Amino acid sequence: MLNDFTIYFFQIFQDLLRIPNTFQSDIVTAVIALFVVIDPIGNIPVFIALTNKLEKEEQKTVSKTAIITAAALLLLFGVAGTQILGLFGITIFSFMIAGGTLLFIIAIELLTYGEWRFVSKVKEDIGVVPIAFPLLAGPGSITAVIISYQTSGFLITFLSIIIVMTITYVILRMVNPIYKVLGNRGSMIVSRVFAVIIAAIAVEYIVEGIKNLFAT
């Protein structure tokens, strides 16, 4: 067991030092793929709905918490996602079903109440759930980084996560100007429309997970 872990971490170290010949094309591909899956622009209305009752500084704190948590989760699952899921006997398809179910619950909450009600007294916690997971580091993005690590190695995966998370943070910090343009009613309408889209994405995750789970 100890030898297996030693070999595994040695492989990670080798991946860290390895720079592929196709570095530029690989990093562009990885960044675009992760950015499209995370879709920070599309998540803006949802972020507004989740944080519109917070003060400006609280929104900033929530954004930082969400980005740091999501980046850490993506990096962790990118490097050791297969091993972590395997440790608990979980397949990526079961993970997709679980993540899709949680996304669907979030969509229902936003459609019904216009906000995420399950928030603790520590307001920063909303940056962890549901913003960091499953909105940013959801089944789609976790699958993307696992594939990126397996095909392109640690360096490409790490840089793509850092680049996309930095862009996402900048976009989330633009929420207040966007909210001013939309107004309260406009934000409510847009957030509910996007809640339907999130529900559809959640269903896709669940259906894809079930289909592949029973096909194996």
Side-chain angles (χ1 to χ4, degrees), residues 1-74:
M1 188 72 175
L2 183 60
N3 288 335
D4 290 339
F5 276 109
T6 303
I7 293 170
Y8 178 66
F9 282 112
F10 181 71
Q11 288 174 342
I12 293 176
F13 184 71
Q14 283 183 318
D15 285 336
L16 180 60
L17 297 179
R18 178 167 60 90
I19 300 177
N21 296 328
T22 55
F23 176 80
Q24 290 183 340
S25 60
D26 285 352
I27 191 68
V28 170
T29 301
V31 167
I32 292 174
L34 188 57
F35 184 84
V36 170
V37 172
I38 290 178
D39 190 17
I41 297 175
N43 280 323
I44 286 177
V46 181
F47 186 79
I48 291 174
L50 293 171
T51 62
N52 61 2
K53 293 184 179 180
L54 302 181
E55 299 295 331
K56 189 174 180 180
E57 281 303 311
E58 290 175 334
Q59 283 186 346
K60 186 176 180 181
T61 303
V62 166
S63 298
K64 286 182 179 179
T65 302
I67 293 300
I68 293 171
T69 305
L73 285 172
L74 289 176

